[in-house]
Amino acid sequence: MCGIVGIYNHPEAANLAYLGLYALQHRGQESAGIVSSNGKELFSHRGMGLVADIYTEEVLKKLPGLCAIGHTRYSTAGESSLKNCQPILINYSRGWLACGHNGNLINIQKIRAELEAHGSIFQSTMDTEVLIHLIAASRKSSLVDRIIEALLKVKGAYSLVFLTESRLIAVRDPFGWRPLVIGKKGSESDPGGPTWVVASETCALDLVEAEFVREVEPGEVVTFDKDGMHSLRPFPIPRKKAMCIFEFIYFARPDSHIFGRDVYEMRKGFGKQLAREYPVEADVVIPVPDSGVPAALGYSEESGISFQTGLIRNHYVGRTFIEPKDSIRHFGVKIKLNPVREVLKGKRVIVVDDSIVRGTTSKKIVKMIRDAGAKEVHMRISSPPTTDPCFYGIDTPNKSELIASSHSVEEIRKFLGADSLAYLSTEGLYWFEKNHGEWFCDACFTGDYPLAVEDTTDKLKLARSQ
């Protein structure tokens, strides 16, 4: 997924970028980076791990200037390592350039091979570096034209922020797969003018107290410089847009406003529609925290069945932990979730989650709830079955690893050990929009890819080809 942020014209630009990344931490936890500009050169600090662990007050002091971009990474193309941290920073014949990318380019294998054949040397295994090489190789006179020329050669999903010595540039692909919003602090009448903020989600604008202005439109290039904000729409617009529906289901923070809608209300709506489609007699509705909470509230409201907190999440669990040598059964789930026995004992329980991928975690959750004394366990999923991988920026497994690609709902129910299992229908997913074909990409549920995928290899192919 990844989260990106850009700051233009603020005396503490790096600090604001840090706060923006902090708000976008849910979009990637592998690594983070900030590049700042003092008007003459660019400064960078990147590291593996969480934003709060990488950046201290002393580190941020070494990132001077009025402009900055930041990136927090969730890898979909290229291995998880320091060399693949973003933003990418180069100093080439035309000056300094940094880039942060959210999304996934799907035709880079051939382009990379051609660049290497002409002498290009790659330092990472990311698809984003291919784009940087194309920009550097362009003979167009202006940077914006070089960026446009490079993007016309690649295919796939991209929300991008670029930083030079004096400009911030934001770009969103013509399909609009990934969100990107614009915010503003202050006004033109302020000394020095306003501060402009670009971010993956509005929750980042809220933290830095920037007012939401609008979204970067699909196919739009927005430039921020000393003369203000400028917009170009140089790309052919596809017949249908393809904004990612899974942003609403899981990835975006529930307090964000993206694709013209509030994420929290969307998730509650999924839960309400799920209750209409698949009611069941029960005593309590519980969510799988945290992503299942709004949908569970919606299911509870629509069904009239009491909402309870039946699973408690440990919010201090990192991405890795030390497991006891004397193995504890289902340790990975137990360290993250623990049942509230008083809520579950003797009850008919509806468990609401946002999705099932492989099914192994859901199976452990069902067993955990049964072991806590539940009389019945009914699984309700606030999205359709995930049957196909995503090639546009979500690291879903190969199709063979997706349980719904080869098993019926009844077979999955038996595997989970639940008394019943139901998914939201594809039609029900669009309770809010009748003409959804004009709006969203739901290929992970339907296999209907808006853009033909030329290279369906996994994200580590580039690493293994080195």
Side-chain angles (χ1 to χ4, degrees), residues 286 288 310-311 328-331 333-334 337-341 344-345 349 351 359-379 412-420:
I286 71 166
V288 176
L311 295 169
I328 296 175
R329 214 156 172 236
H330 307 314
F331 183 82
V333 171
K334 283 176 176 288
L337 297 171
N338 200 45
V340 182
R341 295 179 183 275
L344 304 173
K345 189 175 181 180
V349 181
V351 188
T360 50
T361 298
S362 298
K363 181 177 183 177
K364 292 171 183 177
I365 289 171
V366 170
K367 186 179 186 303
M368 182 187 294
I369 293 169
R370 284 205 190 280
D371 290 347
K375 191 194 313 184
E376 298 175 9
V377 182
H378 302 277
M379 286 290 295
I412 299 171
R413 181 199 68 77
K414 289 180 180 178
F415 174 78
L416 300 182
D419 290 282
S420 72

Side-chain angles (χ1 to χ4, degrees), residues 99-366:
C99 173
H101 174 204
N102 172 209
N104 199 41
L105 305 178
I106 62 174
N107 68 330
I108 61 161
Q109 300 292 339
K110 182 179 179 182
I111 297 173
R112 178 170 172 142
E114 291 172 351
L115 288 166
E116 287 177 326
H118 286 87
S120 292
I121 299 172
F122 286 81
Q123 301 295 319
S124 76
T125 59
M126 288 183 293
D127 55 345
T128 314
E129 192 180 1
V130 174
L131 180 62
I132 292 295
H133 277 268
L134 289 173
I135 293 169
S138 172
R139 296 186 178 183
K140 296 288 185 180
S141 57
S142 76
L143 174 60
V144 170
D145 286 340
R146 293 195 296 276
I147 290 171
I148 292 168
E149 183 182 64
L151 289 173
L152 285 170
K153 293 178 181 178
V154 301
K155 296 179 182 179
Y158 52 84
S159 285
L160 297 156
V161 285
F162 294 94
L163 183 66
T164 70
E165 296 92 337
S166 60
R167 279 186 293 175
L168 171 67
I169 301 169
V171 190
R172 192 168 165 210
D173 70 75
F175 286 89
W177 261 293
R178 300 288 149 219
L180 196 60
V181 299
I182 301 170
K184 187 178 180 183
K185 284 173 67 71
S187 67
E188 281 73 14
S189 61
D190 293 345
T195 295
W196 294 99
V197 182
V198 176
S200 294
E201 297 179 32
T202 58
C203 62
L205 305 184
D206 295 338
L207 185 56
V208 301
E209 297 183 332
E211 180 184 356
F212 172 68
V213 175
R214 64 176 179 87
E215 300 189 43
V216 177
E217 294 296 325
E220 185 181 19
V221 179
V222 184
T223 303
F224 304 90
D225 58 25
K226 60 182 177 61
D227 296 318
M229 181 174 76
H230 318 276
S231 171
L232 287 172
R233 287 179 171 80
F235 304 111
I237 299 299
R239 185 172 57 87
K240 292 184 180 180
K241 305 246 184 355
M243 294 178 285
C244 174
I245 194 67
F246 215 78
E247 290 277 357
F248 282 137
I249 293 166
Y250 174 74
F251 274 107
R253 240 172 64 168
D255 53 330
S256 284
H257 180 93
I258 61 168
F259 302 155
R261 299 180 185 275
D262 292 320
V263 177
Y264 180 80
E265 290 302 321
M266 289 291 291
R267 288 185 188 160
K268 276 191 72 176
F270 295 147
K272 288 183 177 182
Q273 183 64 26
L274 187 58
R276 296 182 198 112
E277 292 182 357
Y278 297 103
V280 63
E281 291 187 7
D283 302 304
V284 294
V285 176
I286 71 166
V288 176
D290 289 324
S291 56
V293 172
L297 283 167
Y299 196 104
S300 172
E301 285 185 13
E302 184 67 23
S303 66
I305 300 171
S306 172
F307 173 93
Q308 297 288 334
T309 303
L311 295 169
I312 300 298
R313 182 183 173 195
N314 183 346
H315 287 269
Y316 299 95
V317 176
R319 291 179 62 83
T320 59
F321 44 77
I322 300 169
E323 185 169 349
K325 291 180 181 177
D326 182 14
S327 182
I328 296 175
R329 214 156 172 236
H330 307 314
F331 183 82
V333 171
K334 283 176 176 288
I335 200 171
K336 295 178 182 177
L337 297 171
N338 200 45
V340 182
R341 295 179 183 275
E342 293 77 8
V343 171
L344 304 173
K345 189 175 181 180
K347 302 289 179 60
R348 298 168 298 174
V349 181
I350 298 171
V351 188
V352 179
D353 204 356
D354 59 87
S355 59
I356 296 176
V357 181
R358 293 179 177 89
T360 50
T361 298
S362 298
K363 181 177 183 177
K364 292 171 183 177
I365 289 171
V366 170

Side-chain angles (χ1 to χ4, degrees), residues 446-460:
T446 64
D448 181 14
Y449 293 100
L451 188 61
V453 180
E454 297 176 18
D455 188 342
T456 60
T457 53
D458 66 69
K459 68 175 182 177
L460 296 182

Side-chain angles (χ1 to χ4, degrees), residues 33-50:
I34 295 174
V35 175
S36 70
S37 170
N38 67 355
K40 297 179 180 179
E41 61 181 308
L42 270 55
F43 304 82
S44 173
H45 185 87
R46 304 177 300 167
M48 300 299 292
L50 302 177

